[in-house]
Amino acid sequence: MRTIAIIVLATVPPLQAQPFQLKKNDVVTFLGGTNMVHLQRSGHLEAILTDAFRSAMPKFRDLSWEADTVFRQGTVIERWRTVGFGQRLAQLKRVGTTVILAQFGKLESLAGIKKLQTFIQGYERLITECQKVAHSVVLISPTPFEKPTNPLVPNLSAHNDDLAKYVKAIKAIATRRKLKFVDLFTNAQPNQTSNGMHIKTSCHQQIASAIAKQLGIKTGNSNLEHLRSAVVEKHRLWYDYWRPANWKLLYGDDSRRVFTRGGKNYIPFRDEWKKLLPRIAKAERRAWIIANGGKDPGQ
């Protein structure tokens, strides 16, 4: 009697992508344009991340700049900054970057489909440089253009077809390079912008929650306002350090003046500026204490 063996091949489901994680000593750096600048200033996303990974006590460094693109960032083209802090890679190393959240593509899409390949190449170069210091890079898509309520403001929503192709390209880059991707374009909520392009202050919490959800971060803590206020204060100090109002006094022509270098009865201006660093560290500790349920030590 012949025995027939039947082998049943079970279909193994693909492994689910690991949720976004922050480890001890991680430094999260934010890159992007105006919408990232405003999102960081509001503190919602950083508060969520601080709360979710409170045991790791991560640091956050905002390097975003208004009108930044994958081709040009304010931290690089600001000539006094490069004198003081070096080029982009040197700056990423300076702040201790290990994780990067980047949002680009909206301004670039205004150049149309003919420049899409140039954008892809530019983003690839930027990511390659970022990965020299960061073990994790997250690509966040732009939100759609909207028709502005003010008829005097240009209606950029006609560019959404092109922007959709840019978002598709960003997702393809993330897939190819095995990076996490956050889609804020597809199924975006309406009326998010103040002028058709920039996210309204009232929608920053919604945007932050959407990013957290797609990264697999639980946002069960409904009372983050106290922590957010501490994050906002820390960010204010960081902004004053990283983007001081007058670079000429630090590294420009005025840095050679007596009152900036100090004299018999003066503290050098650059030394005064550096005093922001321990204040930033203190503000960070305050945020960690609040996130971990401790008593607010105050400012």
Side-chain angles (χ1 to χ4, degrees), residues 33-59:
T34 303
N35 278 329
M36 183 62 82
V37 171
H38 293 173
L39 182 62
Q40 273 302 99
R41 192 175 295 164
S42 74
H44 288 289
L45 179 58
E46 188 172 323
I48 290 173
L49 294 173
T50 302
D51 179 67
F53 302 105
R54 53 187 172 273
S55 60
M57 295 186 293
K59 296 180 180 179

Side-chain angles (χ1 to χ4, degrees), residues 11 18 23 49 51 56 58 70 78 99 105 116 122 135 145 163 174 186 192 211 214 220 226 257 266 298:
T11 301
Q18 292 296 314
K23 301 176 294 185
L49 294 173
D51 179 67
V70 297
E78 189 75 27
V99 177
L116 177 57
H135 63 73
F145 293 110
L163 181 54
T186 307
Q192 290 184 327
I211 293 171
Q214 291 192 43
H226 188 193
R257 295 179 183 272
Y266 297 96

Side-chain angles (χ1 to χ4, degrees), residues 121-196:
Q121 293 168 354
Y123 216 164
E124 293 272 16
R125 286 193 297 270
L126 177 61
I127 293 168
T128 296
E129 188 166 71
C130 288
Q131 289 184 320
K132 291 179 180 179
V133 293
H135 63 73
S136 177
V137 177
V138 178
L139 304 185
I140 302 173
S141 87
T143 56
F145 293 110
E146 295 179 335
K147 183 178 180 179
T149 56
N150 187 339
L152 299 178
V153 177
N155 181 9
L156 299 177
S157 62
H159 293 274
N160 275 331
D161 286 345
D162 288 348
L163 181 54
K165 294 180 176 64
Y166 276 70
V167 171
K168 183 178 180 181
I170 296 169
K171 183 177 182 180
I173 292 172
T175 300
R176 183 166 60 254
R177 302 187 69 138
K178 298 181 180 180
L179 309 176
K180 294 192 182 301
F181 173 71
V182 174
D183 186 355
L184 297 180
F185 182 84
T186 307
N187 300 319
Q189 296 294 316
N191 302 317
Q192 290 184 327
T193 65
S194 58
N195 56 5

Side-chain angles (χ1 to χ4, degrees), residues 107-126:
L107 278 179
E108 296 92 329
S109 73
L110 295 175
I113 296 305
K114 63 183 180 180
K115 293 293 185 180
L116 177 57
Q117 194 58 39
T118 304
F119 167 75
I120 293 171
Q121 293 168 354
Y123 216 164
E124 293 272 16
R125 286 193 297 270
L126 177 61

